[in-house]
């Protein structure tokens, strides 16, 4: 394991708030940052010494970018496979191309998780109307149709209830390759935010409990209130996923908590191969923030402590015009306000967050 | 009091580590940053959306800079008066020009402090060899000759012991206008790092105890171990200084602790109208860092909590090739490593610091 020295350059694919917060954490230890993103005025550009504004399929720009940095990481899982391939030949890509290939396709992800013996919601691959009818007969109603690719914050999803027209649901998703997931009567949604170092060290933060509003994360509370056995299952699932991917960096595993006669247990819902919104509380709530931890991992540094700084924390997203409350939050004792420097507060847009440490 | 909204632009005069850490704190709440500094490759340039590389006497560049920002602050007290004047007409300068005028001249500063009834070391203005001989007769030996302007980290100072040639000391400082300070048999050096808001609110962090090595700050420990009465005197001095300057922002007041039959008391040594090296521990050791606090104050926001996050903290500077220890420090549990992105580790150069929270 070689530690990248301070003064090295970290390349980040993606210029949103996650890239911005990784860049801020990297600057604290004297790393240089080079952001690659296609959007003009990306929030991360402003806190980085260099940026490249180019499309993710611009082979020349990618080659130049990879040649100018010491390691490349990403803030989103939809990095095209070809982009990852172009970079991998020129600079270390951490986490790797395999993590991208698996997590950007819901079917591959579900098969991967199930293949590790980790429970998930029941699912079927859907490529046609015939598939969906067969699957509904097997899984029952209600069920959730999800596109295999490019879904986030509830986009690319449709609930199919008994009596609904499955063809309409498929058409609503543009007949994209999809999966059908059986209904899971979960009691809570939780996530494991964890890091795996280059030497295989695995450290997970306290479990996060996540509440959504309009399919977008609203509030994360830490520590999540779950049974010790559910907690063990969740941590074990995250550990096995990270190990199987030979993962380097921070990842998040979202899980459902379900209750049966045997008590609480968990099902893996989704893997995010990156820092995650449900880990934002770690900036003040943990000894090492998820952003600093990600930088440590991808630079080959030993991982930092994931201990809580208090007894817990809550993180509330500021979505769209929630951000208008900034002045009230700035005056609230104990509230840590974070804003991402986005110029326009569109509905559903993540503008910032507030952390309150208990 | 108007609160500057997120998305406003903060202009910073100076591009060193202090400007860099102010910029990082400002980015956390969605402020844009514009650094103004003459040196190519200034550490703060890399974390700022805009920078101007120009001399402090470039009237046109200063006017353009002031016109492009919503408020101007500075990371060093030697901003020329003319620079401050040029800016003041175009953008709010916080802290103001008066704080600069007083603190960049040791004689003006000592007279100002003494005029508030706050004890200092005995001092005399020195403009000639005759002055220094008279002053030595009055203050005795040893005494310290200091240039009135541009001294820092022990530069521009000479100790005169009995039998030394005062003319040689004066010549050693290039016959610059100076002051002679009587010897103070202090037991400790401490500092008050505090903030004053636009509404006059004053909040001081716990007292810092400072140890120097080769005239450069080496270690700050918090809280300083001093008597309650010395603590009260120190906080009162800082409060009176800030109020008299109608100060807005973070300032540091360095003091000597002396012991007499009446117990411990303090003398003011120096005022820094800016965030200060002895306040770096606040990044992890206090609920609001001095950098976030400074940004709040100059933006007209209510001040944040100055409470400790633990029971105290120590901050150790990494000077020159101390920085070569980065890998060991990165692996030390509980050590928070900060590096400033400086390319070359020259002797005496502040390359970074480490904070350990108790």
């Amino acid at each position: 394991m070689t530690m990248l020295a301070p003064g090295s350059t970290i390349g980040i694919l993606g210029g949103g708030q996650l890239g911005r917060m990784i860049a801020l954490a990297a600057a604290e230890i004297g790393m240089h940052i080079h952001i690659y993103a296609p959007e003009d005025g990306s929030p991360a550009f402003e806190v980085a010494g260099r940026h490249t504004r180019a499309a993710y399929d611009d082979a020349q720009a990618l080659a130049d970018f990879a040649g100018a940095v010491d390691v490349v990481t990403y803030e989103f899982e939809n990095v095209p496979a070809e982009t990852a391939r172009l970079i991998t030949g020129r600079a270390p890509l951490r986490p790797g191309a395999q993590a991208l290939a698996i997590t950007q396709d819901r079917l591959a992800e579900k098969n991967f998780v199930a293949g590790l013996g980790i429970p998930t919601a029941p699912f079927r691959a859907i490529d046609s109307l015939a598939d969906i009818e067969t699957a509904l007969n097997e899984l029952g109603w209600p069920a959730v149709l999800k596109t295999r690719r490019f879904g986030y914050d509830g986009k690319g999803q449709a609930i199919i209830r008994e009596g609904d027209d499955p063809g309409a649901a498929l058409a609503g998703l543009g007949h994209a390759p999809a999966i059908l997931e059986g209904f899971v009567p979960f009691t809570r949604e939780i996530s494991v935010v964890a890091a795996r170092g280059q030497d295989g060290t695995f450290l997970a933060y306290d479990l996060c409990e996540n509440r959504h509003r309009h399919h977008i994360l609203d509030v994360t509370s830490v520590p999540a209130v779950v049974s010790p056995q559910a907690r063990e299952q969740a941590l074990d699932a995250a550990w096995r996923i990270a190990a199987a991917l030979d993962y380097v960096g921070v990842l998040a595993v979202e899980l459902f908590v379900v209750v049966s006669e045997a008590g609480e247990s968990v099902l893996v819902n989704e893997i995010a191969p990156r820092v995650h919104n449900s880990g934002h509380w770690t900036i003040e709530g943990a000894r090492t923030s998820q952003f600093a931890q990600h930088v440590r991992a991808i630079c080959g540094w030993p991982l930092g402590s994931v201990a809580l700084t208090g007894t817990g924390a809550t993180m509330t997203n500021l979505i769209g015009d929630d951000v208008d409350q900034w002045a009230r939050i700035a005056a609230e004792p104990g509230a840590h306000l974070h804003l991402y420097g986005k110029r326009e507060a569109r509905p559903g847009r993540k503008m910032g967050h507030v952390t309150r440490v208990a």
Side-chain angles (χ1 to χ4, degrees), chain A residues 166-182:
Chain A
L170 207 52
L173 301 185
H175 297 278
I179 65 169
L180 190 77
E181 287 184 17

Side-chain angles (χ1 to χ4, degrees), chain A residues 238-292:
Chain A
W239 178 83
R240 278 196 278 164
I241 288 166
L245 293 171
D246 196 17
Y247 196 88
V248 174
V250 165
L251 87 168
V253 179
E254 297 181 57
L255 309 100
F256 297 129
V257 178
V258 292
V259 178
S260 71
E261 284 151 23
E264 284 183 351
S265 61
V266 299
L267 306 177
V268 166
N269 178 34
E270 220 172 284
I271 304 167
R274 53 171 169 82
V275 292
H276 193 255
N277 196 167
S278 70
H280 289 0
W281 62 270
T282 58
I283 296 175
E284 293 88 12
R287 300 245 174 250
T288 310
S289 80
Q290 66 167 344
F291 305 102

Side-chain angles (χ1 to χ4, degrees), chain A residues 130-150:
Chain A
D131 287 345
I132 202 170
E133 282 166 350
T134 309
L136 281 167
N137 283 329
E138 290 172 5
L139 304 182
W141 290 263
V144 188
L145 187 68
K146 299 180 176 179
T147 56
R148 283 172 57 178
R149 292 175 166 272
F150 302 117

